[in-house]
Amino acid sequence: MDQRIYINSVQPLHRSTKIQTKNTSGQSRVPFSEILKEQVQSHSIRFSKHAEQRLKTRKIQLDQGKIDKLSKAIDQAEEKGSRESLVLMDNVAYVVSVKNRLVITAVNDENLKDNVFTNIDSAVVV
């Protein structure tokens, strides 16, 4: 079995226009941390299996406009340093993992009464 190690230059899939540095050969390079940050921020929100089930059983419809509003609410919570947030939008409550941009559950107005939301550190009203 061949156990040699080959060192190849790795090029990013997406070129950032933000911070660029020069390597020893004078070529312009973008720091990996900046590329990773851009890629993570550019991703849309995700839904847990539990949230998908709740959306379906509670007949909560999300079009692209609502998803964009929810994404902006997550951005606002992230700017304030939130980790787990309750987002209230269009008579629906969403519990969201801000760091992972993951909707954990969704509760419509019919099921909101007598509900207690735990393990959240913020609330965003849209």
Side-chain angles (χ1 to χ4, degrees), residues 73-118:
I74 294 170
D75 292 341
Q76 289 176 328
E78 184 177 35
E79 288 173 8
K80 296 292 185 179
S82 301
R83 292 182 308 272
E84 303 287 328
S85 187
L86 176 68
V87 178
L88 299 171
M89 180 179 78
D90 300 330
N91 295 326
V92 178
Y94 302 91
V95 176
V96 179
S97 169
V98 176
K99 178 183 174 186
N100 300 319
R101 300 188 67 81
L102 178 72
V103 177
I104 298 168
T105 192
V107 182
N108 60 3
D109 57 348
E110 297 169 6
N111 297 307
L112 275 175
K113 188 173 182 176
D114 297 328
N115 236 335
V116 176
F117 295 95
T118 59

Side-chain angles (χ1 to χ4, degrees), residues 13-66:
L13 296 176
H14 170 70
R15 287 268 186 200
S16 176
T17 57
K18 289 187 178 180
I19 300 172
Q20 293 195 352
T21 59
K22 301 245 182 214
N23 64 9
T24 55
S25 63
Q27 293 175 324
S28 182
R29 299 278 184 197
V30 178
F32 175 77
S33 61
E34 286 299 317
I35 295 170
L36 180 62
K37 186 176 178 181
E38 279 185 15
Q39 292 298 317
V40 169
Q41 287 178 348
S42 68
H43 286 110
S44 186
I45 57 177
R46 298 176 302 131
F47 295 86
S48 69
K49 294 284 184 196
H50 177 79
E52 289 175 357
Q53 290 173 346
R54 293 295 182 251
L55 291 170
K56 187 182 286 186
T57 59
R58 294 175 176 161
K59 296 180 176 80
I60 300 170
Q61 300 294 320
L62 285 173
D63 58 15
Q64 190 58 46
K66 289 182 181 179

